[in-house]
Amino acid sequence: MPKYTKPPSHLQEILKWNGWGYSDTRFLFNKKGQAEFTGKRYRLSGMIIPALQNWFEGTFGASVQHKSPAMPILTSSAVQPPTLNEAFVDELKSTGIPCSHDAEDRVFRGHGHCLHEVFALREGKVGRVPDIVVWPNCHNDVVKIVELACKHNVCLIPYGGGTSVSSALECPPEETRCIVSLDTSQMNRILWIDEKNLTAHVEAGIVGQELERLLNESGYCTGHEPDSMEFSSLGGWVATRASGMKKNIYGNIEDLVVHVKMVTPQGVIEKGCQCPRMSTGPDIHHFIMGSEGTLGVVTEVTMKIRPMPEYQKYGSVVFPNFEQGVACLREVAKQRCAPASIRLMDNEQFKFGHALKPQVSSIFTSFLDGLKKFYITKFKGFDPDRLCVATLLFEGDREKVLQHEKQVYDIAAKFGGLAAGEDNGQRGYMLTFVIAYLRDLGMDYYVIGESFETSVPWDRVLDICRNVKARIIQECKDKGVQFSPLSTCRVTQTYDAGACVYFYFAFNYRGLSDPVHVYEQVEHAAREEILANGGSLSHHHGVGKLRKEWMRETISDVGMGMLKSVKNYVDPKNIFGNRNLI
Amino acid sequence: SSDLGHALRTYSPSPYEGAPSCSTADLNKAVLESQYLRYVTKEVGSSHWDEDVRQEVCRILEEMSQNLQLGSIRLMAYTLTKVLKRLFTGIFVNMEGLNMLQQAIQESPVILMPNHRSYVDFLVISYILFTYDIPLPVIAAGIPLAGMKMVGEILRRSGAFFIRRAIGSDKLYWAVLSEYVKTIVRKGCAPLEFYVEGLRSRTLKSLMPKLGMMHMVLEPYFKGEVYDITLVPISISYDRVLEESLLAHELLGIPKPKESTTGLLKATKVLQEDYGNMHVNFGRPMSVRRLCQGKINRCQYNLIPRDLPQKPSAETQACVSGLANLMVRIQEEGSLISPWSLMACLLLQAPTTVLTQEGLLWHQLTEKTLWLRKLALDFGAHLNWPGQVPDLDVMSSTVTLHRSVVHLKAGRVYLVREEEPVRKHPISPELDVIRTAAAVLMLASYRNQSLHVFVRPCHAHFPIYELFAFFWFLRDIFSNEFIFIPGKSSQDFEEACFLLNKCGAVDISEQEVIVSDARLEVLSFLQALLQPFIHSYQVMFRYLCEDGGNVFTEKQVLPAVRNRATKLILSGELHTYEALSSDTQKNGLSALQRLKTVTKSEQNEYRVNKAAVRRIDDILCESAYFKYS
């Protein structure tokens, strides 16, 4: 057997193999039945969450007595032995680039975080996974690997942070060649910072929080904060057209990227200068962004950076109903005065957020909470079953932030919105990172769920929210789900011409023989409903293999032809064979 | 006093989505400020939304809008209790339908779609819903009702909104109406009630649905503005219709009195009579979303603003028309068929002279009626035949109830003709024909109540080598006369064969339809049932080929055809008085238009292709005089 070497830094060791995030961090119901969040990494870590059990049992008809635990460890026998291309492996080893065909390493890179992927892992089921994992250390390593792959006709699947939710990392079952997972995690350096032009040249394997941490040390930031930023990588963002929470100030990935280097079977593609804008035919960056690993591996990116903001302030507004909330967001967008982030949660999510309040330490805080509730529901007459909340984040220099804040609150007041405090706002954003852990808790108790997103013109926002939520409820009923599902949404981004909407959907699957299949049918129906209501196939999650079937109607026959002809030129042997997108 | 108690009862219905009903002012404001109206204003030529147009829209809204108020409903409930008690022995409502409706109203906007057979229909649904604590509907009504003193305002306050009759090319009016209706559906303020047939049927036969209102009502679903819409077909069946004689006269060209309050007061004499029972059958609520599955691509609205006025796509038109026809079919299926309707079918198959002179043997009629009852049941009809009472008593009390049409004397049944005032001169033969015709048409309208049960098998009573051709030909000719769902001809054909097979009239084996000799009775009944229509159309067609010019107007042709029919009846060449009905004549004309043998110009002139009409007449002739061997 050939000898393998593993790279020195290995994020895999502190992450779960069959769920979201860090191994030391999870929700659980303790012996008293109270919910607890373990670990030390988050603000909520180590706290008791008293209301969660009630909400959980009430919303899903679940019970903390009915457990559906995951398999604790992976049995190696569940993993098929690797199909190795010996000639390729020999030459690869001679380059000295680290690689492994260890079962755990392969399984870890054979999935993203779609429900069906995680559900299968929890049951200890493993399908087709990569045969070897390889860890290039720099751009030149990638060039060598791609050359060897072409020479020996093996299939390459680039791997960044593994946070995909589009089945993009699934190995095509029909692939008979040796599949090599190209893990970019060792390419995680900032190569230079150009303070005159405010750009940074960064290797594409760096994950979001590391990039921010390193830039912060020099007093800068990118401001790109997708919800997955703890784990997702720069290369992944480029390959999927990612969007960040604070895009109103910093822009989405396509606005942030100045220069990209990608290694393809035809060679390296990049521009010859680092200019802010060019009129030189179709922008080749747009062949790269959103290519989802079908054309090559992004190795280095020059990105815009900004000085770190002087001042940050959270905020929140309560609206009497969702309609008013959407009208307010629309007005904010119209006046182009959106804060760094503005998100509107519907009533169900508002209640969900409330259930996640940690135990308060002082009687005074709980008294204040009670008073606030009284003021809003009794004094102002808001119906607790209709009201909804917007969370806000302002950033910039202090004076401007305060001015901006006033402008936004004034608009909100016109739509019946009441300021509801910084604390509620901050908790809202913190929940973004924590919510993914909650799915694992649900799965311990027969509850499965997922989120999905779309973008939609302003005049259709309310309609799409109502119709998709109703469709989910109806489909669950039709498909034999015994308990009413959680079907909720929030508006997470505003644009001049529309908004991005995020749906959460979960249900108790007790009594179903094939819950994942039911789940997939419902999600499929929900996506059809989105498209029928003028929504997009995806705002930022990408297409992967999960949403491929709708590509043709999304971009037209000619559009498909264009993408295919690019693929045929760049990668005629389908070396980058993950079969995403087209 | 208990009537008063009923009117003052606590009324607290559970509305759609728990939303508070929106006020008249809110509704009108939403319409006035809609983007759609802005676009339309630009289209009708006004370059900007100026004050004139705005005022015109306000005027239209003022004329149109309902003003539903609980107080008026209570007044209405009180009056209606009094009136209905006097007119009817009982009003029967199917409770399971009402319960389903109650549930449906909380889930999505509901459209109530009753058939329209009498003026009494108008507030009956509201009355029932009030009684059972269900949100009251707003109701589309014809503008003449609004013109009635006091009554117009009472109706308005009971939820009626008023629509002009001939909207024609008045784009602004059309737009205001459409936005008004769509806003009601979108907001789910109240259930919306409208007559999909458009008018009160003069013949008690279902009318071809009108599609304008249907388009308006369904569009919010097509455009995703609501998750779903629920359609509730409602069948109102009367043992005896108040307007029976008025309707017959109208069909003979004697105009109906204008809707007026004094007219209404004069009509109080009809209140003295007994009209038997009224049955209101609330159909199963139907989800538009499910009905449209696979028929509508909702993405068609993705690339243009949804408010932009647009002609509906061919796909949408087909879907709407299919749904409208389906609703009418379900109304038909849900209606209750009285013994009287069966008897009317049979009475009309006797020669008219027998009915007017020697009389039809009572025992013959009763035996045949019992036979027909079995056939109707085989065909799946909903009969309203009291079970606890001996059959003979049922039939004789039926005849008593309808003494305005027939009377029973010494074991024979006679047609009752209207009393003529004493005259100096003997009545002219032409006038005598009209007198008989009025009675025949009354009888025909009661026959029409059960026609839908037999109409599909009627079209398939032919031997196999002609069957397919004839079935399609007749379905085509008569699709203005009877309700067929467009594009469903093979289903209709299969249903017809299935029913004929079920009642034993034919054996269908190995794709061959064999008439079994013993069952000629069924087939000749079906043939005779259709014959008045065939003969009436023939009178029309022959007039067009032989007498008329190449170009004519409707005003010219109807009296001319009536004259020709009268002459033929007097000379004994034509046996059906139904040829005198303007309804049948108009339907015949529409059929020719649909078959493109007659074309209508913009000046409302018709141009006829005589050779083509003659060809159609020849085939019709063949099908009418077919004899079973």
Side-chain angles (χ1 to χ4, degrees):
Chain A
M1 275 308 271
K3 233 178 90 191
Y4 291 95
T5 47
K6 285 203 193 179
S9 90
H10 219 71
L11 197 60
Q12 185 183 343
E13 265 134 39
I14 54 168
L15 297 184
K16 295 194 189 82
W17 69 277
N18 63 354
W20 179 261
Y22 300 105
S23 306
D24 58 13
T25 302
R26 57 190 293 250
F27 281 97
L28 52 82
F29 288 115
N30 63 24
K31 290 194 180 90
K32 285 191 226 154
Q34 278 180 317
E36 228 181 284
F37 193 49
T38 65
K40 293 192 183 110
R41 295 173 189 272
Y42 299 89
R43 220 174 69 143
L44 201 64
S45 296
M47 294 211 203
I48 299 282
I49 304 131
L52 186 58
Q53 187 204 341
N54 255 339
W55 176 86
F56 182 74
E57 295 189 335
T59 304
F60 296 108
S63 158
V64 296
Q65 310 301 327
H66 296 140
K67 290 203 72 171
S68 52
M71 299 261 290
I73 47 163
L74 179 69
T75 40
S76 314
S77 61
V79 187
Q80 285 194 349
T83 314
L84 292 178
N85 181 323
E86 296 297 342
F88 171 78
V89 175
D90 286 345
E91 274 206 61
L92 180 66
K93 273 192 303 173
S94 70
T95 63
I97 300 171
C99 57
S100 155
H101 69 184
D102 191 61
E104 262 180 55
D105 293 333
R106 291 164 53 215
V107 170
F108 194 82
R109 286 160 188 80
H111 68 87
H113 282 272
C114 287
L115 175 85
H116 67 270
E117 294 172 315
V118 176
F119 196 92
L121 287 176
R122 288 171 58 94
E123 294 198 316
K125 287 182 189 152
V126 178
R128 178 84 160 98
V129 292
D131 301 300
I132 324 175
V133 181
V134 52
W135 285 271
N137 195 44
C138 62
H139 171 78
N140 286 338
D141 282 358
V142 176
V143 173
K144 282 181 210 155
I145 296 167
V146 173
E147 271 171 13
L148 288 181
C150 293
K151 181 172 168 195
H152 297 287
N153 193 23
V154 299
C155 170
L156 285 181
I157 298 185
Y159 181 89
T163 56
S164 148
V165 282
S166 59
S167 301
L169 288 169
E170 260 177 27
C171 295
E174 64 270 36
E175 181 58 77
T176 52
R177 294 173 296 182
C178 169
I179 299 180
V180 179
S181 175
L182 192 154
D183 183 322
T184 58
S185 62
Q186 307 312 303
M187 299 163 52
N188 57 2
R189 286 155 296 231
I190 295 179
L191 298 177
W192 45 255
I193 293 177
D194 177 350
E195 298 191 84
K196 286 184 183 156
N197 293 307
L198 286 181
T199 55
H201 192 67
V202 189
E203 288 182 313
I206 196 165
V207 295
Q209 62 176 338
E210 191 64 5
L211 175 61
E212 288 307 290
R213 190 182 63 78
L214 291 174
L215 285 174
N216 287 174
E217 283 173 5
S218 322
Y220 294 104
C221 67
T222 63
H224 185 68
E225 297 186 9
D227 291 358
S228 61
M229 69 174 290
E230 295 168 281
F231 310 108
S232 59
S233 69
L234 172 55
W237 300 338
V238 171
T240 56
R241 295 181 63 85
S243 168
M245 180 185 92
K246 298 194 288 195
K247 71 94 192 156
N248 291 335
I249 294 185
Y250 301 97
N252 287 317
I253 197 71
E254 66 272 20
D255 311 306
L256 285 164
V257 163
V258 176
H259 183 270
V260 188
K261 208 188 265 184
M262 179 166 81
V263 182
T264 77
Q266 287 284 16
V268 175
I269 176 172
E270 62 180 320
K271 289 184 186 174
C273 60
Q274 310 233 33
C275 300
R277 183 181 188 275
M278 304 201 293
S279 173
T280 50
D283 190 338
I284 57 162
H285 282 174
H286 287 287
F287 290 121
I288 299 168
M289 285 189 286
S291 60
E292 303 194 0
T294 59
L295 299 177
V297 192
V298 176
T299 54
E300 288 170 19
V301 179
T302 309
M303 261 184 115
K304 296 183 201 169
I305 54 171
R306 299 289 305 165
M308 284 171 70
E310 175 194 308
Y311 187 64
Q312 267 200 339
K313 192 170 181 191
Y314 290 97
S316 64
V317 181
V318 182
F319 292 98
N321 55 48
F322 192 64
E323 290 75 10
Q324 296 277 70
V326 170
C328 172
L329 261 62
R330 205 280 160 266
E331 184 61 29
V332 166
K334 200 186 259 174
Q335 296 192 22
R336 291 197 169 168
C337 64
S341 168
I342 177 166
R343 288 177 173 176
L344 179 75
M345 296 186 257
D346 69 0
N347 182 261
E348 289 83 3
Q349 246 176 77
F350 166 75
K351 287 178 178 164
F352 176 33
H354 254 256
L356 284 170
K357 270 197 175 173
Q359 200 159 32
V360 284
S361 39
S362 76
I363 300 177
F364 181 67
T365 337
S366 91
F367 173 73
L368 270 187
D369 277 353
L371 211 62
K372 237 185 262 167
K373 193 178 162 194
F374 177 82
Y375 176 71
I376 288 174
T377 59
K378 295 289 180 314
F379 189 72
K380 280 287 173 182
F382 284 19
D383 178 351
D385 290 323
R386 293 180 83 85
L387 61 81
C388 73
V389 64
T391 57
L392 309 165
L393 171 60
F394 298 90
E395 241 182 57
D397 66 70
R398 192 163 181 282
E399 207 172 310
K400 275 191 189 141
V401 162
L402 296 178
Q403 213 180 333
H404 192 180
E405 192 186 21
K406 184 174 179 311
Q407 188 186 6
V408 172
Y409 282 116
D410 283 351
I411 295 175
K414 281 190 198 134
F415 296 91
L418 296 173
E422 281 182 67
D423 197 47
N424 277 323
Q426 188 168 16
R427 206 176 53 251
Y429 287 102
M430 182 260 308
L431 287 183
T432 304
F433 297 109
V434 163
I435 205 160
Y437 289 98
L438 264 171
R439 183 170 79 179
D440 291 336
L441 177 74
M443 287 169 96
D444 286 339
Y445 295 92
Y446 289 95
V447 172
I448 51 177
E450 180 94 274
S451 60
F452 48 91
E453 42 73 22
T454 187
S455 53
V456 66
W458 275 117
D459 73 311
R460 285 181 173 271
V461 170
L462 278 177
D463 292 331
I464 208 169
C465 290
R466 177 197 341 100
N467 292 353
V468 172
K469 287 199 286 181
R471 178 75 180 264
I472 287 170
I473 292 169
Q474 188 191 320
E475 291 288 333
C476 281
K477 207 162 144 194
D478 292 354
K479 301 288 180 300
V481 177
Q482 315 267 316
F483 305 87
S484 59
L486 173 71
S487 175
T488 152
C489 71
R490 64 177 191 223
V491 181
T492 60
Q493 288 292 6
T494 63
Y495 292 88
D496 285 347
C500 167
V501 181
Y502 223 89
F503 294 94
Y504 286 99
F505 140 57
F507 62 86
N508 181 344
Y509 66 83
R510 293 190 75 203
L512 294 181
S513 58
D514 191 350
V516 171
H517 181 62
V518 170
Y519 167 81
E520 283 171 346
Q521 284 179 310
V522 177
E523 192 193 329
H524 189 273
R527 184 57 64 182
E528 299 256 295
E529 191 63 34
I530 285 175
L531 298 176
N533 282 275
S536 65
L537 189 53
S538 171
H539 170 263
H540 60 273
H541 281 175
V543 174
K545 289 177 274 289
L546 193 61
R547 286 176 276 274
K548 247 169 100 161
E549 65 181 286
W550 292 288
M551 268 303 270
R552 193 169 289 277
E553 62 182 276
T554 300
I555 62 166
S556 81
D557 286 345
V558 179
M560 282 296 274
M562 281 183 171
L563 294 191
K564 281 189 173 151
S565 65
V566 169
K567 167 78 178 173
N568 287 342
Y569 168 73
V570 174
D571 184 16
K573 284 160 78 184
N574 196 27
I575 296 302
F576 288 91
N578 60 17
R579 298 182 197 238
N580 290 337
L581 202 60
I582 47 173
Chain B
S1 62
S2 67
D3 296 347
L4 195 61
H6 175 255
L8 295 175
R9 62 193 295 280
T10 324
Y11 171 72
S12 54
S14 325
Y16 165 56
E17 284 196 336
S21 59
C22 37
S23 72
T24 307
D26 289 347
L27 179 60
N28 290 359
K29 187 161 170 257
V31 174
L32 191 60
E33 288 172 359
S34 68
Q35 185 66 43
Y36 175 70
L37 274 189
R38 278 160 209 274
Y39 279 125
V40 172
T41 327
K42 270 188 199 149
E43 260 186 25
V44 294
S46 180
S47 57
H48 55 282
W49 179 250
D50 57 23
E51 201 46 35
D52 288 353
V53 182
R54 196 187 156 84
Q55 275 179 3
E56 176 60 21
V57 171
C58 287
R59 262 199 301 279
I60 297 175
L61 275 173
E62 199 178 322
E63 173 193 280
M64 182 184 301
S65 70
Q66 53 83 21
N67 187 15
L68 186 59
Q69 289 178 356
L70 190 57
S72 315
I73 292 297
R74 294 191 189 284
L75 176 65
M76 179 274 298
Y78 180 71
T79 330
L80 229 51
T81 308
K82 292 285 182 205
V83 173
L84 295 173
K85 269 188 175 172
R86 166 156 274 169
L87 290 175
F88 298 103
T89 316
I91 299 180
F92 293 88
V93 181
N94 64 330
M95 281 313 292
E96 81 273 15
L98 215 50
N99 291 337
M100 286 188 285
L101 172 64
Q102 185 143 35
Q103 184 64 35
I105 275 183
Q106 292 169 46
E107 286 165 6
S108 50
V110 164
I111 314 298
L112 301 169
M113 305 175 74
N115 54 0
H116 195 12
R117 298 293 173 264
S118 164
Y119 279 127
V120 181
D121 298 339
F122 197 74
L123 286 175
V124 145
I125 306 289
S126 304
Y127 180 74
I128 294 171
L129 299 194
F130 173 74
T131 307
Y132 289 98
D133 233 14
I134 297 174
L136 293 169
V138 295
I139 313 163
I143 200 90
L145 287 177
M148 295 167 73
K149 279 191 198 102
M150 293 283 292
V151 176
E153 190 52 33
I154 292 174
L155 291 178
R156 202 183 281 280
R157 289 177 185 220
S158 305
F161 65 95
F162 298 98
I163 304 174
R164 290 183 196 161
R165 277 272 185 252
I167 303 173
S169 57
D170 187 344
K171 269 191 172 177
L172 189 64
Y173 185 84
W174 191 255
V176 174
L177 172 63
S178 133
E179 187 61 24
Y180 188 76
V181 170
K182 285 187 281 186
T183 308
I184 291 171
V185 177
R186 271 198 292 257
K187 292 195 166 211
C189 324
L192 181 81
E193 178 181 331
F194 80 100
Y195 300 114
V196 68
E197 296 167 295
L199 312 157
R200 193 162 46 105
S201 166
R202 267 59 173 164
T203 57
L204 303 192
K205 186 156 53 66
S206 299
L207 302 178
M208 264 180 79
K210 300 275 182 289
L211 303 181
M213 192 74 171
M214 196 71 181
H215 270 284
M216 296 174 202
V217 158
L218 295 177
E219 207 187 84
Y221 168 71
F222 296 153
K223 292 190 170 171
E225 293 164 333
V226 293
Y227 178 68
D228 199 355
I229 293 171
T230 305
L231 304 182
V232 180
I234 302 172
S235 320
I236 306 178
S237 330
Y238 294 91
D239 281 351
R240 191 179 159 209
V241 178
L242 269 73
E243 297 95 327
E244 53 180 20
S245 142
L246 270 180
L247 292 176
H249 283 94
E250 233 182 281
L251 291 173
L252 291 169
I254 302 155
K256 74 160 175 174
K258 193 176 175 297
E259 287 92 343
S260 73
T261 309
T262 40
L264 184 71
L265 292 174
K266 272 186 205 155
T268 45
K269 80 160 193 284
V270 303
L271 298 186
Q272 312 304 323
E273 291 191 39
D274 177 13
Y275 292 91
N277 289 323
M278 174 180 184
H279 290 267
V280 182
N281 183 70
F282 287 86
R284 172 178 295 281
M286 304 182 79
S287 149
V288 169
R289 179 174 272 268
R290 284 187 204 271
L291 290 170
C292 292
Q293 214 161 33
K295 292 185 186 142
I296 284 281
N297 176 11
R298 285 180 291 151
C299 294
Q300 63 180 303
Y301 302 102
N302 285 358
L303 296 179
I304 33 147
R306 287 178 296 170
D307 309 306
L308 204 64
Q310 245 197 318
K311 223 177 154 246
S313 64
E315 173 195 70
T316 310
Q317 285 183 11
C319 178
V320 168
S321 154
L323 276 190
N325 279 282
L326 178 67
M327 287 304 121
V328 178
R329 282 288 295 127
I330 296 173
Q331 286 173 354
E332 287 184 335
E333 281 165 11
S335 57
L336 273 182
I337 290 168
S338 62
W340 173 237
S341 178
L342 299 180
M343 293 167 92
C345 288
L346 296 164
L347 284 164
L348 281 170
Q349 296 194 2
T352 314
T353 44
V354 170
L355 293 180
T356 51
Q357 288 159 29
E358 57 262 41
L360 185 69
L361 282 172
W362 172 242
H363 75 86
Q364 232 175 35
L365 178 63
T366 55
E367 265 169 41
K368 202 70 187 175
T369 304
L370 292 178
W371 168 85
L372 186 56
R373 178 177 70 169
K374 184 176 175 305
L375 184 67
L377 286 174
D378 275 348
F379 284 0
H382 293 262
L383 281 190
N384 171 32
W385 192 295
Q388 320 79 325
V389 192
D391 291 338
L392 266 181
D393 293 357
V394 171
M395 287 182 278
S396 54
S397 64
T398 296
V399 168
T400 315
L401 181 66
H402 291 279
R403 57 182 169 270
S404 56
V405 188
V406 288
H407 74 116
L408 180 59
K409 200 172 76 186
R412 285 174 184 269
V413 186
Y414 299 88
L415 196 63
V416 175
R417 298 196 298 169
E418 232 173 89
E419 291 295 317
E420 276 297 313
V422 188
R423 291 164 183 260
K424 286 181 201 154
H425 307 289
I427 183 170
S428 73
E430 282 80 13
L431 271 178
D432 197 50
V433 167
I434 295 283
R435 221 153 63 93
T436 310
V440 169
L441 288 185
M442 272 159 79
L443 206 51
S445 61
Y446 286 109
R447 170 206 59 198
N448 288 346
Q449 288 181 321
S450 58
L451 207 50
H452 62 93
V453 175
F454 305 108
V455 77
R456 262 147 277 269
C458 267
H459 285 58
H461 67 280
F462 303 103
I464 184 68
Y465 59 95
E466 308 263 46
L467 180 60
F468 296 95
F470 274 140
F471 183 84
W472 267 287
F473 170 73
L474 286 179
R475 189 184 184 276
D476 215 14
I477 287 281
F478 286 132
S479 57
N480 292 71
E481 198 73 51
F482 312 117
I483 303 297
F484 296 102
I485 298 173
K488 295 269 164 108
S489 54
S490 349
Q491 281 98 319
D492 281 336
F493 181 72
E494 273 163 34
E495 189 191 324
C497 293
F498 170 77
L499 292 176
L500 286 175
N501 192 36
K502 190 176 163 203
C503 71
V506 293
D507 288 324
I508 299 175
S509 55
E510 300 291 314
Q511 299 165 342
E512 229 185 322
V513 186
I514 306 158
V515 179
S516 49
D517 294 345
R519 303 300 180 174
L520 281 181
E521 196 177 12
V522 176
L523 295 175
S524 27
F525 166 78
L526 292 175
Q527 190 179 25
L529 198 61
L530 202 56
Q531 220 141 42
F533 295 97
I534 295 180
H535 290 165
S536 303
Y537 275 41
Q538 282 182 316
V539 173
M540 171 78 162
F541 293 170
R542 294 210 178 135
Y543 166 79
L544 291 178
C545 314
E546 293 161 14
D547 298 357
N550 285 322
V551 180
F552 57 88
T553 64
E554 194 181 283
K555 276 207 179 106
Q556 292 167 338
V557 79
L558 295 187
V561 173
R562 194 176 298 131
N563 278 341
R564 185 187 167 103
T566 313
K567 282 199 191 96
L568 290 170
I569 289 170
L570 285 172
S571 67
E573 286 168 76
L574 177 66
H575 300 289
T576 177
Y577 283 74
E578 293 183 50
L580 296 168
S581 158
S582 58
D583 184 71
T584 318
Q585 293 161 2
K586 284 179 192 163
N587 286 340
L589 200 55
S590 311
L592 291 181
Q593 251 180 283
R594 192 163 30 74
L595 298 172
K596 308 242 174 351
T597 47
V598 164
T599 47
K600 194 174 177 180
S601 72
E602 282 186 18
Q603 293 79 39
N604 282 327
E605 279 179 345
Y606 293 90
R607 184 173 292 275
V608 61
N609 173 349
K610 294 195 172 190
V613 174
R614 198 165 287 128
R615 269 197 302 279
I616 293 175
D617 183 53
D618 286 344
I619 311 176
L620 205 53
C621 205
E622 246 180 277
S623 70
Y625 297 105
F626 172 77
K627 288 275 180 298
Y628 302 103
S629 46

